[in-house]
């Protein structure tokens, strides 16, 4: 399987608390729920399409807890997102979680880089990370993420956890696809393409 990351981010790179005010208030974050005014049918259709490519999920502890609280209550058999989340294998990276009761959930409590590398060797389409920014950073720096779906919202928050914060491994991507919504959200599909290349704009 290839490892893919789907992440909602602001123009200034914040991924914290996209879905609601109480979702993640770490460090006094007060901007939770910033995706809501921009979410429309176009974006919903895009996200549904992403879930149509998944064979297993890989989640950080906080995202897993949020999903496990909400999605098992969605029992509509015609909801493709709920169906995928509730039936497919889910791996949660955590050194503190002792058990995971959500159907088909497995805790990865050891060396997450080594364990994810083994998961990638399994047959299938995509092992998908959704949200889970801290986990994504670890796996990005380890060179394990093959493709990033960056969903960029036209808002600047000025504070919050940033996906590509200072200290990330220098990397270069190839733009495989880009589209947008009427509300101004852009969906970029980026494939890892190696290390950055450099040049000079100096006028001779």
């Amino acid at each position: 399987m290839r490892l893919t990351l789907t992440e909602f981010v602001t123009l200034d790179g914040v991924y914290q608390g996209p879905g609601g005010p109480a979702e993640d208030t770490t460090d006094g974050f007060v901007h939770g729920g910033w995706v809501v005014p921009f979410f429309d049918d176009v974006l919903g259709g895009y996200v549904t399409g992403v879930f149509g490519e998944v064979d297993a999920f890989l989640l950080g502890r906080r995202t897993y807890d949020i999903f496990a609280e909400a999605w098992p209550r969605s029992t509509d058999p015609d909801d493709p997102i709920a169906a995928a989340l509730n039936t497919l294998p889910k791996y949660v990276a955590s050194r503190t979680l002792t058990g995971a009761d959500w159907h088909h959930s497995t805790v990865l409590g050891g060396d997450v880089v080594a364990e994810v590398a083994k998961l990638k060797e399994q047959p299938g389409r995509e092992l998908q990370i959704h949200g889970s920014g801290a986990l994504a950073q670890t796996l990005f720096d380890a060179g394990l993420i093959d493709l990033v779906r960056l969903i960029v919202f036209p808002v600047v928050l000025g504070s919050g956890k940033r996906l590509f914060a200072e200290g990330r491994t220098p990397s270069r991507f190839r733009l495989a696809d880009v589209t947008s919504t009427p509300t101004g959200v852009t969906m970029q599909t980026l494939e890892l393409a190696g290390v950055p290349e450099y040049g000079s704009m100096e006028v001779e």
Side-chain angles (χ1 to χ4, degrees):
M1 289 186 288
R2 66 174 180 171
L3 181 61
T4 68
L5 168 66
T6 300
E7 195 77 57
F8 293 165
V9 297
T10 67
L11 287 176
D12 53 339
V14 174
Y15 69 84
Q16 186 172 357
E23 191 173 74
D24 183 358
T25 59
T26 305
D27 298 326
F29 186 70
V30 297
H31 302 292
W34 45 268
V35 308
V36 177
F38 301 99
F39 218 97
D40 61 9
D41 289 342
V42 176
L43 181 54
Y46 175 85
V47 172
T48 299
V50 170
F51 276 83
E53 300 295 324
V54 65
D55 280 334
F57 295 98
L58 174 64
L59 304 170
R61 168 69 184 273
R62 184 184 296 275
T63 302
Y64 177 83
D65 285 345
I66 292 170
F67 282 13
E69 173 67 22
W71 285 106
R73 298 200 300 263
S74 181
T75 57
D76 181 357
D78 295 324
D79 183 339
I81 296 177
L85 284 168
N86 287 324
T87 61
L88 292 176
K90 291 165 286 290
Y91 301 93
V92 52
S94 174
R95 290 191 175 92
T96 59
L97 191 66
T98 57
D101 296 330
W102 192 11
H103 189 58
H104 285 319
S105 293
T106 301
V107 177
L108 304 180
D111 181 342
V112 67
V113 170
E115 294 195 49
V116 171
K118 290 180 181 178
L119 288 176
K120 289 185 63 176
E121 294 175 358
Q122 296 182 9
R125 296 173 299 169
E126 292 189 9
L127 173 62
Q128 291 187 354
I129 306 170
H130 290 267
S132 310
L135 172 63
Q137 290 169 348
T138 297
L139 299 176
F140 174 79
D141 288 339
L144 290 177
I145 295 179
D146 302 299
L147 180 143
V148 176
R149 294 185 179 98
L150 206 61
I151 304 175
V152 184
F153 289 74
V155 61
V156 172
L157 300 180
S159 66
K161 300 173 184 176
R162 287 171 168 81
L163 181 61
F164 295 116
E166 185 174 354
R168 295 280 68 80
T169 301
S171 305
R172 177 170 52 92
F173 290 86
R174 182 184 71 83
L175 183 64
D177 185 63
V178 63
T179 187
S180 63
T181 74
T183 62
V185 178
T186 59
M187 295 86 84
Q188 305 172 28
T189 302
L190 303 156
E191 296 176 342
L192 190 64
V195 298
E197 297 177 347
Y198 306 97
S200 174
M201 297 289 289
E202 184 178 352
V203 177
E204 297 183 2

